[in-house]
């Protein structure tokens, strides 16, 4: 009754409390959105770094593959030359043995 005599309107108090609560919720929501945007930015940077690393590793793998192919071809050439040399030495040995036995 004392409140009624002092012209305190409970509806106004309730509306002000609701508005204050809405403002607090909006501030919290804005803070959360800002935080999520920061995380999204960090994730984009992380993805860019990961993509750059993957591209670099793929380039290194291509270079290694090329080098391995060159090395493999070089070894095949050496094996071929060695086989030819061994065939020549084998034929020379046969001829030498033949002429020594005569």
């Amino acid at each position: 009754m004392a409140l009624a005599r002092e012209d305190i309107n409970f509806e106004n108090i309730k509306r002000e409390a609701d508005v204050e609560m809405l403002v607090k919720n909006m501030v919290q929501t804005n803070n959360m959105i800002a935080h999520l945007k920061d995380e999204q930015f960090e994730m984009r940077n992380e993805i860019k770094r990961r993509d750059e690393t993957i591209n670099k590793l793929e380039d290194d793998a291509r270079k290694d593959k090329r080098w391995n192919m060159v090395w493999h071809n070089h070894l095949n050439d050496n094996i071929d030359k060695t086989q030819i040399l061994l065939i020549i030495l084998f034929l020379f040995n046969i001829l030498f043995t033949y002429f020594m036995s005569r």
Side-chain angles (χ1 to χ4, degrees):
M1 292 287 195
L3 294 176
R5 277 185 249 141
E6 295 178 17
D7 290 331
I8 295 178
N9 189 348
F10 287 112
E11 288 299 318
N12 287 339
I13 293 173
K14 184 178 176 188
R15 265 189 247 127
E16 288 176 10
D18 288 344
V19 169
E20 188 176 325
M21 189 167 47
L22 285 174
V23 169
K24 284 182 183 178
N25 284 339
M26 288 179 68
V27 168
Q28 288 176 347
T29 303
N30 287 340
N31 288 340
M32 186 175 287
I33 290 171
H35 176 71
L36 291 174
K37 284 183 179 180
D38 289 342
E39 284 186 10
Q40 183 182 27
F41 181 75
E42 290 174 12
M43 290 175 81
R44 283 184 184 155
N45 287 340
E46 183 76 24
I47 290 170
K48 285 180 186 176
R49 284 192 299 270
R50 181 188 55 99
D51 289 344
E52 289 171 359
T53 302
I54 288 171
N55 288 336
K56 186 177 179 181
L57 290 173
E58 286 175 347
D59 289 343
D60 290 346
R62 282 190 211 104
K63 289 176 186 174
D64 286 347
K65 187 175 182 180
R66 279 190 224 122
W67 171 251
N68 287 339
M69 289 176 65
V70 167
W71 181 249
H72 182 72
N73 290 339
H74 181 70
L75 286 177
N76 284 340
D77 290 344
N78 286 341
I79 289 171
D80 293 340
K81 290 176 184 175
T82 304
Q83 286 176 342
I84 291 170
L85 180 67
L86 287 175
I87 289 171
I88 291 171
L89 288 175
F90 178 72
L91 291 174
F92 180 77
N93 191 13
I94 289 175
L95 290 174
F96 182 75
T97 305
Y98 174 74
F99 286 118
M100 290 299 285
S101 66
R102 281 188 132 205

